[in-house]
Amino acid sequence: MLFRSDYYVKVDQERMIHLIGDIHSDINNLSKIDFNDNDLYVFHGDYCDRGKYPVETLKFLIKLHKSNKGNIIFLEGNHELHLRRDRKSVV
């Protein structure tokens, strides 16, 4: 099982898990991923803080989130800390 905010996601032995991290606005490589509903995708932060295409990357991730079939998990990375209003809290 993988922890997902306040609940658990059950992962079957036959399900592929993709760990994707430190995108840093690299929309070119991100758009090459062949997302499918059978696999689980875990993004572990550092989405749009560097690179040439932060807006395009954020739009892509929002679209991906909206089409989420329960197989996409977004985690907060250390580079997203500045986006929090309460910077004292720890996730």
Side-chain angles (χ1 to χ4, degrees):
M1 295 193 155
L2 293 174
F3 187 74
R4 181 177 172 180
S5 70
D6 58 347
Y7 61 94
Y8 290 91
V9 174
K10 185 173 181 175
V11 179
D12 299 328
Q13 290 181 354
E14 310 235 347
R15 193 173 206 186
M16 179 79 76
I17 301 172
H18 303 270
L19 302 174
I20 305 165
D22 293 45
I23 297 168
H24 296 300
S25 302
D26 186 357
I27 189 66
N28 295 324
N29 281 323
L30 181 60
S31 62
K32 292 177 185 176
I33 298 172
D34 183 23
F35 293 95
N36 67 68
D37 294 344
N38 297 322
D39 294 350
L40 178 66
Y41 300 88
V42 180
F43 290 84
H44 70 80
D46 300 354
Y47 303 106
C48 299
D49 60 316
R50 300 180 191 163
K52 295 181 180 181
Y53 305 103
V55 173
E56 293 83 356
T57 301
L58 189 57
K59 285 181 180 179
F60 183 93
L61 293 172
I62 290 170
K63 182 178 176 184
L64 190 62
H65 174 69
K66 287 182 177 181
S67 69
N68 186 354
K69 308 280 192 276
N71 67 328
I72 298 174
I73 300 171
F74 294 96
L75 302 176
E76 181 181 49
N78 62 316
H79 292 236
E80 282 75 50
L81 184 61
H82 70 279
L83 300 175
R84 293 177 149 269
R85 291 178 189 224
D86 178 12
R87 295 180 184 188
K88 296 178 185 176
S89 63
V90 177
V91 177

